[in-house]
């Protein structure tokens, strides 16, 4: 549609201006040159979109209860080997009423769904199940384009450097080259980091087993009595220590009481 409008505009406008055959011929030539360029741009754009692979970062976090920590761990490791993944970190420990283990796995993007299916076998329900997919295609393309532009600029400065004759010019160009190369390395690092996150998905698996509080279960009746005796003795000790802090007031109170009693005796025995 746009091509047709452009063609008519370039043909009609010269006719309105006087119908000069030379002008019409020039306009026709312009359309013939413009049309293939517009078509080429559309084809190039379509090819670029078709060739651009979508870049998706996939992540998941799972948490669930199990009755056998070792069996669950072996199931996960088996799935890791099956899906060509690797264990990035492995942590285990104990909290108030459970034993737990947390494993972080990096897995090829293509095996992400299959790995989750394997890990979820036999799980009655998940306390937590999060799956996210972040599209970073635009960011990836932007970094690649900026990197390409920086490398082109670097080549131009290298050409200038080869032609420079003055020391001042050489130093100035080398200074600019140093800055550009730092920017190139930074972009390459960003691209590498992004590619790593895209090619390898991250799955964090936390599984646990509930256990009784061992400390309460092993305390005997005799131990409880001894603890009560110690607690009572500590209470008495604290009481006497408290009295020591207020002994001047106690002394004054005793003296007042003795004085009052002495006065009362004298009053009753004139």
């Amino acid at each position: 549609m746009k091509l047709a409008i452009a063609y008519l505009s370039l043909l009609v406008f010269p006719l309105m201006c006087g119908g000069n055959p030379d002008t019409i011929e020039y306009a026709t030539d312009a359309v013939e040159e413009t049309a293939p360029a517009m078509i080429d741009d559309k084809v190039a754009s379509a090819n670029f979109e078709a060739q651009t692979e979508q870049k998706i970062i996939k992540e998941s976090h799972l948490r669930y209860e199990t009755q056998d920590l070792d069996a669950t761990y072996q199931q996960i490791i088996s799935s890791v080997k099956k899906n060509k993944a690797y264990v990035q970190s492995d942590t285990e420990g104990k909290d108030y009423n459970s034993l737990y283990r947390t494993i972080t796995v990096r897995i090829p993007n293509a095996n992400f769904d299959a790995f989750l299916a394997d890990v979820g076998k036999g799980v009655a329900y998940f306390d937590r199940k999060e799956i996210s997919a972040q599209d970073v295609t635009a960011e990836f393309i932007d970094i690649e384009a900026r990197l390409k532009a920086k490398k082109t600029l670097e080549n131009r400065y290298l050409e200038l450097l080869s032609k420079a004759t003055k020391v001042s010019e050489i130093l100035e160009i080398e200074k600019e080259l140093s800055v550009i190369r730092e920017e190139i390395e930074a972009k390459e690092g960003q691209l590498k980091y992004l590619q790593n996150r895209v090619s390898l998905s991250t799955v964090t698996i936390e599984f646990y087993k509930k256990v009784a509080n061992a400390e309460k279960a092993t305390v005997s009746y005799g131990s409880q009595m001894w603890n009560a005796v110690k607690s009572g003795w500590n209470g008495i000790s604290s009481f006497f220590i408290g009295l020591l802090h207020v002994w001047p007031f106690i002394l004054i109170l005793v003296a007042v009481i003795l004085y009052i009693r002495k006065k009362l005796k004298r009053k009753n025995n004139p």
Side-chain angles (χ1 to χ4, degrees):
M1 186 66 182
K2 291 182 179 179
L3 182 60
I5 294 172
Y7 185 86
L8 290 174
S9 300
L10 289 171
L11 287 179
V12 173
F13 181 73
L15 290 174
M16 293 175 63
C17 295
N20 189 338
D22 295 336
T23 306
I24 295 174
E25 183 179 355
Y26 173 77
T28 304
D29 293 340
V31 170
E32 291 176 353
E33 292 178 0
T34 304
M38 295 176 66
I39 294 172
D40 289 343
D41 289 343
K42 290 181 179 180
V43 172
S45 177
N47 291 337
F48 179 75
E49 291 178 359
Q51 293 174 2
T52 301
E53 181 184 356
Q54 196 173 22
K55 306 294 182 180
I56 304 293
I57 296 176
K58 295 181 180 180
E59 294 181 340
S60 179
H61 193 121
L62 309 176
R63 185 177 190 274
Y64 56 91
E65 182 181 358
T66 180
Q67 299 303 318
D68 192 331
L69 292 174
D70 292 334
T72 302
Y73 174 75
Q74 292 302 326
Q75 178 184 349
I76 294 172
I77 294 302
S78 176
S79 183
V80 165
K81 295 177 180 178
K82 177 182 175 182
N83 292 282
K84 300 178 181 179
Y86 71 91
V87 176
Q88 186 179 54
S89 65
D90 185 355
T91 306
E92 57 183 323
K94 178 182 180 298
D95 56 19
Y96 180 73
N97 62 348
S98 66
L99 300 173
Y100 66 87
R101 192 161 189 170
T102 303
I103 300 175
T104 300
V105 177
R106 299 298 306 279
I107 181 169
N109 196 298
N111 300 340
F112 180 78
D113 295 331
F115 179 77
L116 290 182
D118 284 346
V119 171
K121 289 179 180 178
V123 179
Y125 64 91
F126 291 92
D127 296 342
R128 178 184 180 188
K129 185 176 183 180
E130 296 179 357
I131 300 174
S132 64
Q134 180 184 0
D135 190 343
V136 293
T137 308
E139 184 180 355
F140 198 91
I141 293 173
D142 179 67
I143 294 175
E144 280 188 327
R146 292 176 184 273
L147 182 60
K148 185 178 180 181
K150 292 295 180 182
K151 288 184 175 180
T152 301
L153 187 59
E154 180 189 27
N155 291 332
R156 290 179 180 175
Y157 270 105
L158 288 172
E159 291 177 4
L160 290 174
L161 184 62
S162 64
K163 297 176 182 179
T165 55
K166 295 181 180 180
V167 175
S168 58
E169 292 178 350
I170 293 173
L171 292 175
E172 186 64 27
I173 293 172
E174 287 181 343
K175 180 181 177 181
E176 293 297 328
L177 274 172
S178 177
V179 174
I180 292 171
R181 282 167 179 161
E182 287 180 3
E183 293 174 349
I184 288 174
E185 289 177 359
K187 294 298 178 186
E188 287 177 340
Q190 292 177 14
L191 202 61
K192 185 177 180 180
Y193 171 74
L194 207 58
Q195 183 61 54
N196 178 266
R197 293 192 64 196
V198 168
S199 60
L200 292 173
S201 302
T202 304
V203 179
T204 301
I205 308 166
E206 181 182 356
F207 53 99
Y208 64 93
K209 178 181 179 181
K210 291 183 178 179
V211 294
N213 191 333
E215 293 182 0
K216 287 186 178 180
T218 56
V219 175
S220 64
Y221 181 73
S223 298
Q224 294 181 26
M225 290 184 62
W226 176 244
N227 290 334
V229 170
K230 288 195 297 183
S231 177
W233 174 253
N234 291 334
I236 294 173
S237 300
S238 299
F239 174 74
F240 282 111
I241 291 173
L243 290 179
L244 291 176
H245 285 289
V246 295
W247 69 267
F249 300 99
I250 296 174
L251 186 61
I252 293 172
L253 180 62
V254 171
V256 170
I257 292 173
L258 291 175
Y259 177 77
I260 293 173
R261 288 183 64 184
K262 187 176 181 181
K263 277 285 188 181
L264 289 174
K265 285 181 179 181
R266 287 181 179 179
K267 186 176 181 181
N268 293 329
N269 298 315

